[in-house]
Amino acid sequence: MVSKIPADSHYMQLPREVLIGQKVAPLVGETLVRLGVHGSALIVTGPKVEKIAAATVIESLEEAKFATSTTVVNGATTEQVQQVEQEIQRFNPNIIVGIGGGKDIDVAKLSSIHTSKQFLSVPTAASHDGIASPLVSMKGLDRPYSYIAHAPMAIIADTSIIAKSPYRLIASGCGDIVAKYTAVRDWKLAHRIKNEYYGDYAAELAIMSSRLVMKNASSIRMLSNSGVRTLVEALISCGVAMSIAGTSRPCSGAEHLFSHYLTMIAPTPALHGEQCGVGTILCAYLHGANWQLIKDVLHTIGAPTTANELGISSQHIIEALTKAHSIRPERYTILGESGLTKEAAERVASITGVI
Ligand SMILES: [Zn+2]
């Protein structure tokens, strides 16, 4: 990020190259060379990442004459970030390559910005929009929601690897995209009520992504090439929408606050995107929008639409609806400044069939 931006100007940090398609993982090395990066690469990956995916990327880096070192991280925590930073100090790589799901990419993203290095994202799952966004969230930070770090210099999304990830992760990614239906409505609301900055271009990009995922729900469910590609393109477009806006606003409204709150209080939270999807049904009702459409789409995709399917109690759903506004008071949404009353929360949750 630049430190001083004149009041009337707008800063955007975008990826320079995005490569999406089947069997593109072997192109990581040559992509970096094309971008003028040579020398050494530190690979940040997770224990669950498909070994073949990591090996393919390492092979492509070595073919492009990179010296490589690999760090395996266990989840997204500040301790893991520190561990990677120590490895960066020791190895002094020219580039950090994050390979894995959202958590592995988040560790690569945060450790690279802390050490003033660039990073390249190779997502092996499509569970949320953090795989391509400048935002980061993890345990141990001072807030339960994500904030701006920096955008990847390039994204190489191999859909043949992503299609083989557990289907639950793909359905969760769809929930995170469907969420833009209410996130953008909340952003518009905050613009009208709080005079908050609103950017049409970023908002339209986020809405278009949610529309395309909704339209292609059946083909995503069938894991067709075009379906998986549509989802990955939507996740990347949403990352770009946040880069353009300079805020998570186009992609994160009340449905996200609801999801963050559930993650804090539920004994066994569901996945981020699964909770966001159910939050979108509830918040669409509150906005007077077509909540039934959201529910039908999530059902077609095979994502949870009820508390039961999330594995979360009705009490926790009601608590999240009444208190989620408090975790981020500056983010004005349909939940208002004091949250829903218990009675209103019970009504929306039962009318929409969530509880
Ligand atoms: Zn999200």
Side-chain angles (χ1 to χ4, degrees):
M1 296 292 283
V2 289
S3 56
K4 284 182 189 144
I5 303 169
D8 59 346
S9 55
H10 189 84
Y11 174 73
M12 303 178 198
Q13 190 187 57
L14 299 163
R16 262 182 71 188
E17 290 205 12
V18 177
L19 190 53
I20 307 172
Q22 293 195 302
K23 305 215 173 357
V24 294
L27 304 177
V28 170
E30 65 170 73
T31 301
L32 284 171
V33 170
R34 192 167 55 245
L35 289 167
V37 182
H38 307 269
S40 54
L42 176 68
I43 290 104
V44 177
T45 189
K48 289 187 195 154
V49 173
E50 201 201 337
K51 297 279 177 290
I52 298 164
T56 305
V57 172
I58 292 167
E59 196 179 313
S60 97
L61 286 163
E62 286 171 352
E63 268 172 24
K65 308 274 184 279
F66 278 86
T68 63
S69 173
T70 303
T71 300
V72 177
V73 294
N74 282 294
T77 62
T78 46
E79 291 77 35
Q80 295 292 314
V81 172
Q82 281 163 6
Q83 181 199 309
V84 175
E85 283 170 23
Q86 279 167 11
E87 183 57 16
I88 294 173
Q89 308 292 358
R90 189 195 68 76
F91 187 57
N92 195 23
N94 298 95
I95 184 83
I96 315 297
V97 178
I99 310 173
K103 287 181 176 155
D104 311 314
I105 305 282
D106 274 354
V107 173
K109 198 183 289 176
L110 203 52
S111 55
S112 59
I113 194 172
H114 285 170
T115 50
S116 304
K117 300 280 184 189
Q118 295 282 349
F119 90 102
L120 178 144
S121 174
V122 185
T124 58
S127 55
H128 64 77
D129 59 23
I131 55 171
S133 80
L135 280 95
V136 72
S137 73
M138 69 181 56
K139 280 188 188 141
L141 295 176
D142 58 351
R143 54 202 125 178
Y145 49 85
S146 45
Y147 69 97
I148 298 265
H150 64 168
M153 119 183 264
I155 301 156
I156 303 213
D158 191 324
T159 49
S160 47
I161 294 171
I162 292 168
K164 278 192 243 150
S165 67
Y167 183 74
R168 190 180 169 199
L169 300 177
I170 290 177
S172 175
C174 293
D176 200 23
I177 295 297
V178 165
K180 310 334 178 197
Y181 182 83
T182 48
V184 170
R185 282 174 165 78
D186 278 326
W187 194 16
K188 262 184 201 157
L189 193 66
H191 175 60
R192 287 193 209 110
I193 293 181
K194 299 286 178 185
N195 197 33
E196 196 179 300
Y197 160 77
Y198 176 83
D200 269 321
Y201 192 87
E204 291 297 324
L205 193 52
I207 280 292
M208 181 181 72
S209 302
S210 80
R211 225 179 269 136
L212 286 172
V213 162
M214 290 193 219
K215 196 171 133 196
N216 289 282
S218 311
S219 84
I220 294 172
R221 183 74 185 92
M222 291 186 299
L223 285 179
S224 72
N225 290 341
S226 67
V228 175
R229 195 189 173 107
T230 300
L231 171 61
V232 174
E233 284 175 350
L235 291 166
I236 293 173
S237 300
C238 287
V240 168
M242 291 187 267
S243 289
I244 291 171
T247 157
S248 61
R249 263 298 192 182
C251 297
S252 168
E255 74 300 317
H256 267 69
L257 296 177
F258 170 82
S259 172
H260 297 323
Y261 201 87
L262 287 180
T263 301
M264 284 161 56
I265 61 164
T268 3
L271 297 176
H272 168 80
E274 293 176 326
Q275 296 176 164
C276 287
V278 172
T280 308
I281 299 173
L282 297 162
C283 296
Y285 172 86
L286 295 172
H287 272 288
N290 191 350
W291 62 267
Q292 188 66 55
L293 168 73
I294 304 299
K295 191 163 183 157
D296 292 347
V297 164
L298 291 172
H299 185 73
T300 304
I301 286 164
T305 59
T306 65
N308 217 8
E309 287 169 2
L310 284 175
I312 290 175
S313 70
S314 301
Q315 293 95 299
H316 284 134
I317 298 286
I318 301 303
E319 188 183 337
L321 281 170
T322 54
K323 296 190 181 153
H325 68 284
S326 63
I327 55 175
R328 197 169 188 183
E330 82 287 1
R331 177 145 293 190
Y332 189 82
T333 70
I334 195 71
L335 300 175
E337 276 157 349
S338 50
L340 302 193
T341 62
K342 188 162 178 280
E343 294 70 28
E346 282 167 354
R347 191 171 65 236
V348 49
S350 65
I351 289 174
T352 54
V354 169
I355 63 170

